[in-house]
Structure formats: C-alpha cells, structure tokens
Amino acid sequence: MTGFISLVSIPTPFLSLVKKPIQKLILLVPFMGLLGLAYAVHITSWDFSFFSKLVGLALVIALFGNLSFEVPRTNTKLTFADSVVFFSFIALGGGAAIILAAFESLYSCVRWKMRGVEFGKYTIHYNVGLSALGSALAVVIVAVVRGTTETDFSSNSDLAFIVLTVLSASNFLVLTVGTATFEKVVQNRSFFGAFRGSYLSISFTQVLGAFVAGGLYFLFNRADLVTSVFSLLVVTVLYLNYRQMFRDINESISQAEKADKEKEEIARLKIEEARRHATDLEEMLAKEEKISNDLRQSKSDLEHAAFHDSLTDLPNRAYLLERLGLLLKLGVRVSQNYYVLFLDLSRFKNINDSLGHTIGDEVLKIVALRLRRTLRDKDTAARLGGDEFAIVLNDVSSLDEAEEFAELVYERLTRPYSIKGNVIHTDVHIGIAPFDSEQIKPEDVLRDADIAMQNAKERSQGIAVFDKEVRSEYLEHIRLEGDLRYACERDEFSMHYQPLINLRTGELRGFEALLRWQHPDLGFVSPARFIPICEDSGLIVPITNWILKQATTRVAEWQKISNEFSNLLVSVNISGRHLADERLLTDVKSALEVSKLSPGCLKLEITETTAMENAEQTIEVLRQLKSLGVKISIDDFGTGYSSLSYLHRLPFDTLKIDRSFVLAVSKEGGDSQILETIIALTKNLKKEVIAEGIETNDQLSILMDFGCDYGQGYLFSRPLPVPDMEAELYKKREWIPYEQCAITPGVPRQTEQRVLF
Ligand code: C2E
Ligand code: MG
Ligand code: MG
C-alpha cells in the first residue's frame, strides 16, 4: 500500500516531529500492524508462483518505487510504490497487499534514514505498523463486503474497480486518522487541524495510486504482450514527460515563489526600514523635545540666575530695579502705598575678617531667611550686594505703618543667634523712603532709601526716615565729589598760606598751607565743605600728595628770600584717611626730595580726633614720620577726647589749641582757664604750643601772658594766596605791632617782652 503518509508526501515539519518520542498510546499501532501481517499470512495460499510474484513486486517497489513526482503547489509526492501496492491487491490478493504495504513503508523509512533523516525511537515501527494495519483493514472491509477473500478479478473489471475504490477509501481513512492521531499525540497539535493538513494530499495519492494500479491491472489482464509493452513504453514516456513537465512547472513555480519571496522580502525590508525610520523619527522627536525642554529649563535657570542672588536666592539688585521701574511706570508716586526700605548690616566686615567668609555667608543666609519669614507675600526683599538688602513694602497705608514694619524687621534681624559655636549679633541700619515726584528712575528711589539709611548710621539710630533736605545735601555731595575728581587736573585748586607767628619774638615762624577750591560754577567752596568729601571718597590722599609737593617747594623758595626766612616752616594738614594709608610715608619723602626742603621745616598737622581714633596705630605712624625728621602738630586740640596717657606717648612737637577756646576769651580775660590749662599742660609735656584763630589784641595779650609759643589768626593775617604772601615777605612786615600788645588799654606790657620785639 502507500506506506505511511509522512514518507509519501514528506511534509517537512513532520520530519522533525518524528524525531520526538512516541507516546505509549501509539505503541499499539506496530502491534496491530503485526496482527495485520499475521492476517495476511493467514489468508494467503503460499505457492512458488505467488511467492515469486510477491518477490517480483517487492523488487519493483525497491527499484522503481521511488519514481515520483511532486504535485505542483502541494506537499504531495506521488510515488510509483503506491500503485504497486494497489496493483498487488487485485493481482495477488489482500495478503500480498498487506505484506507489500509494510515492506514499502519499511523500505522507504530505511531509504530516508540512509539519507540522513533522523527518526524517533518508534517512528519506523509506527509507520510500518500503520501501513500494514491500513491495508489489512481495507482487505477486511473488501472481504466482508464480498464475503470472500478470493481475489480473482480478471472476469469482473467492475469489481476490481470497486475493490480499488474501497481500498483507497479505507487506506485514506486509516492514514488520515493515523497521521492526525500521531501529530496530536506527539506534537500536541489539534486533531482536526492535523487532519485538515493531510487529508488532501493523502486522498490525492490514494486516488491516483488506485487509478494507476487499475490501469496496470487492465493492461496485464486484457491486452496482449505487444500492446502491453507498447502501452508501458507510452506510459513510461508519458511518465518521463509529465515528470519533466511537473519539474518545469515546479521549477517555474519555485522561481515565481522565489520572486514572490524576494518581493515579499523587499516589501518586508521596506516595511522594516519604514518602521526603523518611524522609530528613528520618534527618537529624534523625543530628543528634540528633550533638548527644547532642557533649553526651556536652562533659559528659566538663566533668568532665575540673572535676577537672583546665588548665595541667598533672594531677588538681586537687577530684579529690584525692574520692579521699582514698573512701579514708577504705574505712577506709584501718587498712590503713596509703597515704601522702600534700605538695610545695611553693621560690622559685617568684622564678622568676615574675624570669623571667616564661610560664617559671613551663613550670616547673610540667616538674614535672608529672617527677611523672608517677616515679609508678607506682597512685599519684595532683595540682596543688593555685600551686606546691603532692600525691601519694597506694598500696600502700606501710612508712613507710621512703614516704620512699624521697619521696627519689626529691625527687631527680628538683631536677635542674636549662634553659628558653629559663635554667638552672633547682627546690627542693622534701616532707611525708609516713600515714593515721590522727584524720583525719575528706579535708582532714585533706592538712593533715597540709602540716604535715609546713611542718616540712621550717622545718628547711630536703627531706623531713619528719608528727608528731602538730606537728599539735596546728598545730591550736592555727589555732585561735588564728581567735580573734585577733576579739580586737580583742571587747575581749580590753589594753596593759601597763613603765617604762624612766634609770640615771644614777633617773628614769622612759618605758614599753614590751606587748600582752596575755586569751583567753575559755585565759585569758592569752603574747605569745611569739600575736605570731608575728599576724605570720604579717598581723594584726599592724591590731593594731599599734591599739597605736600606744592607747599614744600613754595616754602623752600621763600626760605631763599632772606636769611631770616631760612628756617621758615610749613604746616600741612594730614587727614585721618591719609594717616592710615601706607602711601603717606613715601609721599612725604618724595615731597622733601623734590623740594629739597629740610625735613625739620615740614610740620604735619593731625587733628586730635584723628590722632586718638586709633591711638596705637597713630603712635606707630607718627614715629615713622618723625624718623624722617619732620615735625608733628596736634591740630584743633581740645575738641577731641585725648587720653592723657596716650598724649604722653604721642610723638608730637606742637599742640595747636583749637580756635574755639581762643574765641571764648572775653575782653576781660574771662573763660581763659582752659587756654591757660592747655598751655601749662603743653609746657609740662615739654612741647610747644600754638594758638589758632587769634583775631583780637586781647586774645593775643592773654595768650602771650600765658606763655603761648606761637599764634595764628586773622589778627596777623588771613590765609593769603602765593603772590600776596610773597609780597608780604618781601615787605618784611612786622606781624605784631607793639601798641597792640597791651592786655589792658593804657597799661604798657612788661619791658623785657617788648625788648623781644
Ligand atoms: P584747620 O587746619 O584748623 O585750619 C585753620 C582754619 O582756621 C583755616 O580755615 C583758617 O582759615 C581758619 N582760621 C585761621 N585763623 C582764623 C581766625 O582768626 N578766625 C577764623 N574764624 N578762622 C581762622 P580753612 O582754611 O577754612 O580750613 C578749615 C579746615 O579745613 C582746616 O582747619 C583743616 O581742617 C581743613 N583744611 C584746610 N586746608 C586743608 C588741607 O590742605 N588739607 C587738609 N587735610 N585739611 C585742610
Ligand atoms: Mg590745621
Ligand atoms: Mg585747626
């Protein structure tokens, strides 16, 4: 018979399937196949003729059984062996068919195995058994239907046809059911799925096998030898032609399939590429999205950084100015609901210097935190830089309310706290400024609050409110400071010299060099007005350097006018700012070098207040100056708070009594005790004393009586410009007229004193 379907049509998946172990159930099949074979032996009448025909057909199967061709577009391979099995049934009987079916199946399996196909342990048993079983079943059915196992169909071709039909039908049934069962058991496939997969090819091979077998039988039974041989030749040629035709068809089908596959592959590749593109695109979009998000983020970070202070994260000056600008645009000046507070921490530099910048930073952070906690949502606090902060108070009904708020801020900020074991007390000065119509720019509002804060500082108050007068003073201050920067190069400065007179001899001892500023618009500006500005701004240092050179050169010149002037000295005022500056020493040295003035003819005047401000340092600096050979005078003495012990240690040469004490002396000589005391003190200290601001003869007389060494004042001369003073020098004028020297009018002075003149 057809053997086992898997070896007839060889479905590729099935070949792998047969490698798997066969389940117990299907082990029954080989046994049943054995029964079928036993049945075959039983119904067969064995004689030589039968045996030789059986062997002959077996040889035909062995030699030609594998003649086959594959039906195009199916997995079905038609083999000649099927037809031989069918043929044996009607030619030799059912027994021969069963034996040959089993043989054909075994032979096919062995052949496949020799070609390298691997079989499961029992697959060959199963195949052979199933083939024998299928054929036996068909034989039984035919025998039952016919009532005999007799197989001579030579006289009845219809019967042969029926037998072949039954044979192929029962074979079909056994093989399809057997295959489906096998696949179900071994591969766990659905039974009906497996059935559907194999029934077409099996039915086809059965029908065709039966047809070919019928044709062969008819040929051998009915035709003579020549016809048979001729027919066989025709069939062989036809077979070869068809085989070639089928091969060609299969070839072109496989080429078409290959082309289809290639097309499919191309389409698949295109789809894959399209998918890849889509994925790439998605990734690119995601990246772009991320980049633009990052950009947005960094933009907002940058904006934040541009408008915030990195240490405290409070808004910065730029932010505050923007906000103030906006408020000005909105016309806040009129509404009066906004106030600006300017805060400056006191002694913050000390914290930085003594405890380090890390603690300084912590202090600023704590201040920022306290401000945040104190402020309402509608207010804005900002760090302007360094230790300066500002607050914009919003929706405040009155100045009183703004002050109350400032007090709250002050109270919170000045609470002591501890950082790394250091108890810190932050003091603060707060200036409050309302908006007003004179403020044009946001900086103006901030400036007014700053002015108020400076005011608080000057008055040693915690809080001060802005005052318009202070603003005009401040604005003038700013203007003068700006103008002073260019005064020197614009030649607006000049020196005036006021004589210093020896009160014992009436001789000219020297001069005090006094700076004068001729402002192009304001005219003469008093030193009392502009000197403090020079000191605040630091301009005093280069200006004094210029004065030192001017004064020493001038007096060196004047010393040459006459022998009696050869020891004239010049007093130059030195401000506290310059005293603390290391350039002072070199400035003095270079002035002396340039002018060639003897160092003993240069006197430096330092006010008492300056000298006592940092007494230890002053002592050190004065020592260094004195080591150059210059003289030192303590100016405006009596206005400061000299400690006697320091005064004792201070390396000075002259005490200059402040003008106010001279002015206080009445005609009758009252209120002169202080003068007398200062002069006595100086004498005790073995220093010289000079009185300034002598305007009257009485003052002069008293001072002479007290034994004051030198005098300076309008009585002798006002400070004079160079040409005027030079004229006086050439005139050799008498500085103290004899008749003006009486203490009481009409009472002549003591003779020996007069002799001195
Ligand atoms: P000071 O050093 O005490 O100078 C003496 C001031 O008293 C001068 O005022 C002088 O003109 C004034 N004076 C002198 N005699 C009389 C008098 O009899 N009656 C009255 N009412 N005043 C008299 P000036 O020139 O206006 O200087 C004022 C202050 O400005 C100076 O006081 C000094 O502290 C400062 N100053 C002046 N020139 C300079 C300078 O070149 N450098 C520095 N650092 N300060 C200077
Ligand atoms: Mg002076
Ligand atoms: Mg003075």
Side-chain angles (χ1 to χ4, degrees), residues 648-700:
H648 182 69
R649 289 173 54 209
L650 219 55
F652 66 96
D653 302 278
T654 314
L655 263 193
K656 202 179 212 186
I657 305 169
D658 189 65
R659 188 155 53 90
S660 55
F661 300 107
V662 177
L663 197 71
V665 175
S666 64
K667 268 192 175 179
E668 290 74 32
D671 290 336
S672 57
Q673 293 90 339
I674 298 178
L675 269 185
E676 193 175 8
T677 312
I678 295 174
I679 293 168
L681 171 79
T682 320
K683 297 278 168 201
N684 284 334
L685 288 171
K686 307 237 174 334
K687 309 284 183 190
E688 291 181 326
V689 62
I690 178 166
E692 65 180 348
I694 306 171
E695 292 185 5
T696 64
N697 286 323
D698 297 332
Q699 292 164 345
L700 174 64

Side-chain angles (χ1 to χ4, degrees), residues 512 605 635-636 656 658 692:
E512 178 170 9
E605 288 192 13
D635 201 358
D636 300 342
K656 202 179 212 186
D658 189 65
E692 65 180 348

Side-chain angles (χ1 to χ4, degrees), residues 484 487-488 490-495 515-518 530 534 543 546:
L484 278 167
C488 209
R490 287 179 189 156
D491 231 6
E492 291 166 10
F493 286 139
S494 64
M495 295 312 297
L515 183 64
R516 295 292 176 259
W517 182 27
Q518 189 66 32
F530 76 83
C534 292
I543 291 174
W546 177 81

Side-chain angles (χ1 to χ4, degrees), residues 607-626:
T607 63
E608 184 194 10
T609 317
T610 303
M612 291 302 153
E613 229 165 43
N614 195 345
E616 287 298 344
Q617 200 190 334
T618 309
I619 291 171
E620 182 52 36
V621 178
L622 293 189
R623 266 194 197 131
Q624 290 174 6
L625 287 169
K626 275 203 67 82

